[in-house]
Amino acid sequence: TNGLDGGDAETSFHFGPPNQGWLPVAGDWNGDGSQSVGLYDPANGLFCLRNRLDDGWDVDYEIFFGPKDSKMLPLAGDWEATGRSSVGLYDPETGEFHLRLTEGCESEKVFSFGPKNLQAWPFSVVWF
């Protein structure tokens, strides 16, 4: 939905394989100022990101990041203030964040924040 007042969704579409355990993530992957969607497959550490909000399985970016068969949770943010979101992972068992930095690079920033064994889902905040 485009508002915070509840009601029906303005946009609905299908993306990704159903019932496969993939996890959702949202970010501005192409720097156009609009958030779009992505999926993370914890079985093989694959992020599938797209720049449109419509039906289909067309993927704009495929990024392998993180270990296979992981219990880490996906997140996204503009870690380097470039205007484009990058992917990251949060490990609730250790309290560590693993953030993928510059596009096309395998560099990452790892740090701990908060308690270990946290049961809450991390999220990205967009400031206006």
Side-chain angles (χ1 to χ4, degrees):
T1 184
N2 293 326
L4 299 176
D5 55 356
D8 295 333
E10 285 87 12
T11 304
S12 296
F13 57 93
H14 295 94
F15 173 59
N19 304 315
Q20 298 295 314
W22 291 42
L23 302 171
V25 64
D28 182 0
W29 315 123
N30 61 1
D32 68 357
S34 294
Q35 302 291 305
S36 45
V37 299
L39 292 169
Y40 172 66
D41 180 4
N44 63 21
L46 174 65
F47 282 86
C48 293
L49 312 173
R50 67 189 313 212
N51 293 321
R52 342 174 258 301
L53 303 177
D54 59 9
D55 282 331
W57 181 232
D58 297 329
V59 175
D60 294 300
Y61 307 100
E62 287 186 343
I63 301 168
F64 285 95
F65 183 68
K68 293 181 179 182
D69 297 319
S70 172
K71 293 192 184 327
M72 292 184 183
L73 302 173
L75 58 136
D78 186 0
W79 318 129
E80 298 179 288
T82 62
R84 294 176 63 155
S85 296
S86 296
V87 297
L89 293 168
Y90 171 72
D91 187 342
E93 292 178 6
T94 65
E96 287 183 335
F97 287 82
H98 299 258
L99 308 179
R100 186 170 187 269
L101 301 179
T102 308
E103 181 181 337
C105 180
E106 293 299 321
S107 67
E108 69 177 301
K109 181 170 183 69
V110 179
F111 61 93
S112 295
F113 178 73
K116 294 179 182 177
N117 298 312
L118 186 64
Q119 299 301 312
W121 185 279
F123 59 92
S124 298
V125 175
V126 177
W127 298 99
F128 295 97

